[in-house]
Amino acid sequence: MRSYPRMTSAIVLGTRPEIIKMAPLLFALESEGEKVILIHSGQHYDDALSESFIRDLGVKAPDHYLKVGSGSQAFQTAECMFRLEKVLSDTRPDNVLVQGDTNTVLAGALTAAKMGIKVGHVEAGLRSNDRRMPEEYNRRVADHVSHMLFAPTPDSAGILESEKVWGSIHMTGNTVIDACETFSKVAGEKSRVLENVGFDDFILVTAHRAENVDDPTVLGGLVDVLIGAPLPAVYPVHPRTEKMLKQFGLYEKLAKSENVCLLPPAGYFDFLVLMKKCRFILTDSGGIQEEATSPSIRKRVLVFRRSTERPEAVDSGYAQVVGTESGAVARAIATEAKSGKAPKKPSPYGDGKAGRNIARIVLEARP
Ligand code: UD1
Ligand code: UDP
């Protein structure tokens, strides 16, 4: 890269996927000598969802920790805006960079934009068109207040063009592919997770979306499907889901099943190893749909949702939306176990250089 005059960017993040997906951009900016202020909202606060990723990925300790914690949609967003405003008025960065669609992202983008600070939205232009998802509101607002929109694919760039967003649109790839490829080798060397998994051939399962796990019919259906599946399941459980499994009286039933290995939320190295080792994945996660297409993983994903904002994973043959109705999910698992095969196609989410692409655009956009 050429040399640029110094300026300051602030990265605002707060959850597991934001740490993973912002790490490559942070590293790229730092390697250019850019001063980066790292602001952690505290939306995720358990070690297993936050610090463990900061440690393992080698991300610097946050400069500011807002300690927002859990709460209702409005509380979490408002509290984050309120606390962030103070930090941004003290530090006055030239840019604020946010990633994805969490409440932290909505708060970060809106607070900065209204303070006259340039906002860069990483992973812009995704749309599920599902009004049940809090994330759909967050990503739409973030896109429409941002100055720089980093769309991971031509499809997402096209959505932003069709919605006539204010900011400039840049097609950059998705930084999760950078993370996956960077850490895949060290994950294989460091992870011991397979020692805790009693199965050699398994389905890797995750579920945490509010519209799924807060619904007793959907969550109860998932439990029955996993217990009766033709392949065993390895399931690292998100704390939100653990809470709901216990609340609905489902936890013991799932934990007792010999067909299911429940794990705490996995660290990134462990999760990369589990993705690599499994036969296929059943998930409602966004990031996992993308990671499964990366050269070091290449696994089929059954998307445990009614829709996806990642149609590229479906179009490339890696993913299939199977809905959340238990009969349909069970049939999809049976078919996949019998005859599923991951394609050997390049990832639609880029070549692992998204962090550097975005850093270059941020640096070139300086006044
Ligand atoms: C959030 C994001 C979601 C993202 C996910 C990544 C929103 C609206 N949702 O969902 O888009 O996919 O993070 O994992 O921003 N909890 C803990 N420990 C923690 C954090 C949360 O126990 O460190 C529990 C609490 O009971 C909390 C619940 O999980 O109420 C939900 O946490 P929250 O951050 O509100 O949403 P997620 O489901 O994690
Ligand atoms: N992940 C992880 N451990 C787990 C589950 C997920 O490290 O137990 C990683 C996964 O590799 C991906 C990211 O977390 O990079 C996805 O986060 P999550 O599913 O919580 O959020 P989403 O992507 O749906 O917003």
Side-chain angles (χ1 to χ4, degrees), residues 16-17 20 53 208-209 236 265-268 271 275 285-288 291:
R16 165 168 79 185
I20 296 167
F53 291 87
H208 73 282
R209 298 246 89 82
Y268 196 48
F271 201 75
M275 281 195 285
S285 163
I288 295 169
E291 281 169 334

Side-chain angles (χ1 to χ4, degrees), residues 262-332:
L262 292 184
L263 296 175
Y268 196 48
F269 296 163
D270 288 348
F271 201 75
L272 287 173
V273 166
L274 290 170
M275 281 195 285
K276 217 168 178 157
K277 176 74 178 157
C278 72
R279 176 103 68 98
F280 61 91
I281 301 168
L282 174 73
T283 189
D284 62 8
S285 163
I288 295 169
Q289 293 175 58
E290 298 153 351
E291 281 169 334
T293 70
S294 75
S296 60
I297 309 286
R298 288 197 176 149
K299 286 289 153 71
R300 283 264 301 162
V301 176
L302 302 183
V303 182
F304 179 62
R305 287 177 44 183
R306 293 190 201 161
S307 63
T308 182
E309 59 290 304
R310 272 104 175 159
E312 305 86 352
V314 177
D315 296 343
S316 58
Y318 284 99
Q320 177 187 343
V321 178
V322 300
T324 55
E325 189 274 314
S326 57
V329 178
R331 284 191 295 279

Side-chain angles (χ1 to χ4, degrees), residues 9-29:
S9 291
I11 288 181
V12 178
L13 46 70
T15 67
R16 165 168 79 185
E18 291 163 75
I19 299 169
I20 296 167
K21 289 176 166 180
M22 277 305 209
L25 174 56
L26 172 67
F27 300 151
L29 287 168

Side-chain angles (χ1 to χ4, degrees), residues 12-328:
V12 178
L13 46 70
T15 67
R16 165 168 79 185
E18 291 163 75
I19 299 169
I20 296 167
K21 289 176 166 180
M22 277 305 209
L25 174 56
L26 172 67
F27 300 151
L29 287 168
E30 286 180 334
S31 76
E32 287 298 322
E34 179 82 348
K35 182 160 181 254
V36 182
I37 304 168
L38 189 59
I39 305 173
H40 191 311
S41 71
Q43 177 169 348
H44 282 176
Y45 42 86
D46 285 352
D47 184 86
L49 292 187
S50 175
E51 282 302 311
S52 99
F53 291 87
I54 291 176
R55 266 194 320 270
D56 288 351
L57 274 61
V59 169
K60 69 171 185 159
D63 300 291
H64 300 272
Y65 194 67
L66 306 181
K67 299 190 179 166
V68 167
S70 303
S72 70
Q73 295 293 315
F75 168 84
Q76 202 170 49
T77 310
E79 197 66 25
C80 188
M81 288 184 74
F82 183 61
R83 294 180 189 205
L84 184 60
E85 185 178 47
K86 165 101 182 65
V87 172
L88 292 180
S89 51
D90 289 348
T91 53
R92 289 309 302 187
D94 299 289
N95 302 302
V96 162
L97 304 170
V98 292
Q99 183 284 324
D101 53 23
T102 66
N103 290 341
T104 298
V105 171
L106 171 62
L110 200 50
T111 306
K114 287 187 154 196
M115 292 177 75
I117 301 171
K118 272 193 180 165
V119 178
H121 187 203
V122 177
E123 203 177 274
L126 278 63
R127 298 289 179 269
S128 69
N129 298 307
D130 183 344
R131 279 183 181 268
R132 299 172 308 150
M133 297 182 73
E135 294 87 352
E136 185 68 1
Y137 300 92
N138 296 345
R139 57 171 82 100
R140 284 175 185 250
V141 174
D143 282 343
H144 282 268
V145 301
S146 290
H147 301 74
M148 294 173 281
L149 296 110
F150 304 112
T153 66
D155 282 2
S156 44
I159 286 171
L160 296 169
E161 275 157 23
S162 70
E163 289 184 8
K164 298 192 179 1
V165 292
W166 275 355
S168 55
I169 303 167
H170 310 271
M171 220 281 289
T172 58
N174 194 308
T175 54
V176 83
I177 305 297
D178 311 24
C180 228
E181 295 308 299
T182 304
F183 294 105
S184 177
K185 185 160 177 282
V186 65
E189 290 160 6
K190 292 208 167 165
S191 170
R192 295 281 163 270
V193 70
L194 295 177
E195 292 168 10
N196 300 323
V197 169
F199 316 120
D200 196 45
D201 187 21
F202 57 86
I203 314 169
L204 177 61
V205 180
T206 82
H208 73 282
R209 298 246 89 82
E211 64 279 9
N212 281 344
V213 305
D214 294 4
D215 180 333
T217 308
V218 173
L219 194 57
L222 177 66
V223 167
D224 290 338
V225 166
L226 297 183
I227 291 172
L231 264 184
V234 174
Y235 184 179
V237 184
H238 188 289
R240 174 188 207 110
T241 312
E242 182 175 342
K243 185 174 79 178
M244 299 320 289
L245 284 166
K246 288 180 176 161
Q247 194 169 308
F248 299 146
L250 295 164
Y251 190 84
E252 285 308 311
K253 184 177 169 186
L254 190 60
K256 270 201 329 231
S257 168
E258 292 191 351
N259 206 37
V260 182
C261 170
L262 292 184
L263 296 175
Y268 196 48
F269 296 163
D270 288 348
F271 201 75
L272 287 173
V273 166
L274 290 170
M275 281 195 285
K276 217 168 178 157
K277 176 74 178 157
C278 72
R279 176 103 68 98
F280 61 91
I281 301 168
L282 174 73
T283 189
D284 62 8
S285 163
I288 295 169
Q289 293 175 58
E290 298 153 351
E291 281 169 334
T293 70
S294 75
S296 60
I297 309 286
R298 288 197 176 149
K299 286 289 153 71
R300 283 264 301 162
V301 176
L302 302 183
V303 182
F304 179 62
R305 287 177 44 183
R306 293 190 201 161
S307 63
T308 182
E309 59 290 304
R310 272 104 175 159
E312 305 86 352
V314 177
D315 296 343
S316 58
Y318 284 99
Q320 177 187 343
V321 178
V322 300
T324 55
E325 189 274 314
S326 57

